[in-house]
Every structure is written in structure tokens, then in C-alpha cells.
Amino acid sequence: MASAITPPGSTGSGDGGKKVLKKPVELYLVRIYPPCRAVWLYLLQNQIPHKLIDVDFTKGEETTPEFIQKNPHQEVPILVDGDVVVFEGQAILRYLASEYTNHKYYGHNTSTRFLCESMISWANSDLHRVVGYRYTYPQFLEKFRLPTDSANEALIESGIKQLTKHLETIERRYLEKGRFLCGDKMTVADSYVATILVQMEWVGFKFSMWPKLEDWLSRVKRQDFWNEVHAAHNAFVTELEGANYMFD
């Protein structure tokens, strides 16, 4: 299913964009997947004309020749901008920032911008690996479970230990002095990290042991377009709650 967003009179994105769009960019996505949500949020916040193309992995749409031609790794998100094809959330955001927004929401100086880039890189790799593939997904998604219950439990236990370490780092290192991860103003790094951390809502995880992080996450969730981008995520959480599929 595809949907198009084209703000009236828009010719590119954000303030100071360098490139003029001839037609909307295409974003291939799964709406409950964190990197897809982070990219979609950036498109909306910068008024970049775009068309959403939902990919249904349950029907094997990622295995079609057309999809594989765009990304041989058969993963989303994928951004198509004319002849340019970019995959991986981190790379897509960097492309959009450099081509259309003059790195809007990446910070106002070189130091902040590259801290922001570093945080996105960390979140895209290590944080998502722990939050998603070693803690949340193996608890109830068969695709990510290990062959035996004992192995799966050991994976989740390992994930909890790594997750605690990451949350402590965010709390004590990044939020000790600033309101956001890269200082006193929100950047795209905050959005990217938050889209990953809210995956733990699938299993009823609470952040009360990390009060600065909990308060930060609440602020990030109040930004423009957050609720629109997380509609499918929130509906999924509600479905899990209704099915009593939450863990203590």
C-alpha cells in the first residue's frame, strides 16, 4: 500500500535545502520497525514530499526481484529519489540531511553534528541489536527465537544485562547535564534513539529506574508528528495489552 505526502508549494525540504525535488521521494517501510519510523519522522518534520510504500514481510514482498534490486539484503527502510537508492536508516537520514535540509536538526555546530551522527550510528547498530534482537523480539516473535527455550532464555538474559548498561550510559553520561542527548536542544539523534527504546513497550518495560531517561523520552514523544508516525506501533502495543501478552 502506498500513500503520498506532498505539502502545497513544497519544492524541497526544511530551511536552506539545496536540492529541488522533481517528484516525491519513495520510502519503502514497515511501520512498526524503528529505523523506518525515524526516517518517516524526518521527512514529515522537514516537509519533504514523499510517498510511503508499505512492505509486507509476511507475504514475502521483500523477496521480489524489484525489491531485491533496490536492496539485496532484503531489508527496510529503502529510500528512492529518482536514480538514487539508499538503504539503512542512518544512511537515508544522512542523504536527506545533506541533499535537502542542510543538516537541519543535526545541531548548530560541527561538534554537535558529529555527536549526533555518532549517536545515530550507535543506535542503529548496537542499541537496536540489544533492544530488539536480544531482548524484545525473541520474547514473542518466532522468527527471532533461538531453537530451544533454554538458549532463548539465555539470549534474553544476556540482552537484559547489556540493555541495563546502555540505559545507565544514557542516564549518567548523556542526560546528566543536558535535556537531550546532544545538549539542550532536540536533534534527530533523540528521535532515532527513542524510536528504538519504545520497542520495549511491546513487553511492558518501564523506565522508572532511570528518571532522567524517562523524562527525556516523554519530551521526545511530544515532538511534532511523533504520534502520527507511531500510530501502528501504538496500535500493536494496545493489541498486545488486550491479549495479555505483556511481560513483567
Side-chain angles (χ1 to χ4, degrees):
M1 180 177 67
S3 57
I5 306 294
T6 307
S10 179
T11 58
S13 67
D15 295 331
K18 296 184 297 181
K19 187 175 179 180
V20 176
L21 273 171
K22 295 182 179 179
K23 65 177 183 178
V25 299
E26 297 177 343
L27 177 64
Y28 290 75
L29 79 166
V30 172
R31 300 188 188 212
I32 61 172
Y33 190 59
C36 295
R37 297 199 303 267
V39 172
W40 183 17
L41 184 64
Y42 195 76
L43 288 167
L44 287 169
Q45 290 178 336
N46 288 284
Q47 300 182 44
I48 302 175
H50 58 279
K51 179 171 73 172
L52 301 179
I53 301 174
D54 293 281
V55 179
D56 190 342
F57 277 63
T58 66
K59 297 181 179 179
E61 291 181 358
E62 79 283 3
T63 64
T64 62
E66 179 187 5
F67 190 95
I68 293 173
Q69 185 176 9
K70 293 179 176 65
N71 184 357
H73 306 291
Q74 301 179 36
E75 296 175 350
V76 290
I78 301 172
L79 186 87
V80 179
D81 184 8
D83 294 332
V84 178
V85 178
V86 191
F87 53 86
E88 290 289 339
Q90 176 187 2
I92 293 172
L93 286 171
R94 186 182 300 118
Y95 173 79
L96 293 172
S98 62
E99 292 293 319
Y100 292 110
T101 74
N102 282 336
H103 291 89
K104 190 176 180 181
Y105 303 133
Y106 273 73
H108 297 295
N109 55 53
T110 301
S111 176
T112 304
R113 174 185 162 188
F114 281 97
L115 174 58
C116 179
E117 293 243 19
S118 297
M119 290 298 296
I120 294 170
S121 178
W122 169 74
N124 191 59
S125 55
D126 196 26
L127 183 64
H128 192 202
R129 181 170 62 248
V130 173
V131 169
Y133 300 100
R134 294 186 180 177
Y135 177 66
T136 303
Y137 307 152
Q139 294 197 44
F140 60 94
L141 294 178
E142 192 65 31
K143 177 180 178 180
F144 301 105
R145 289 179 59 86
L146 294 183
T148 66
D149 289 342
S150 60
N152 203 59
E153 290 172 4
L155 175 66
I156 294 169
E157 183 65 28
S158 172
I160 291 173
K161 292 179 180 178
Q162 293 176 304
L163 174 59
T164 300
K165 180 180 178 182
H166 287 331
L167 296 180
E168 287 289 330
T169 298
I170 294 173
E171 175 87 1
R172 300 183 184 278
R173 169 61 177 83
Y174 294 102
L175 299 175
E176 184 66 32
K177 297 180 180 180
R179 297 180 70 246
F180 297 100
L181 297 177
C182 301
D184 290 327
K185 292 187 178 181
M186 191 182 305
T187 68
V188 67
D190 294 284
S191 301
Y192 208 104
V193 171
T195 60
I196 292 171
L197 291 181
V198 297
Q199 293 299 88
M200 294 188 289
E201 294 175 354
W202 292 13
V203 292
F205 189 92
K206 305 299 182 184
F207 295 96
S208 54
M209 290 180 60
W210 300 272
K212 292 185 179 66
L213 189 154
E214 187 175 43
D215 184 56
W216 159 83
L217 186 58
S218 177
R219 290 196 301 274
V220 175
K221 286 183 173 183
R222 292 197 294 269
Q223 66 180 304
D224 291 343
F225 301 107
W226 178 272
N227 289 334
E228 178 177 347
V229 167
H230 284 79
H233 165 85
N234 293 334
F236 186 50
V237 171
T238 299
E239 180 182 342
L240 292 173
E241 291 173 340
N244 295 317
Y245 210 176
M246 291 292 184
F247 295 79
D248 295 328

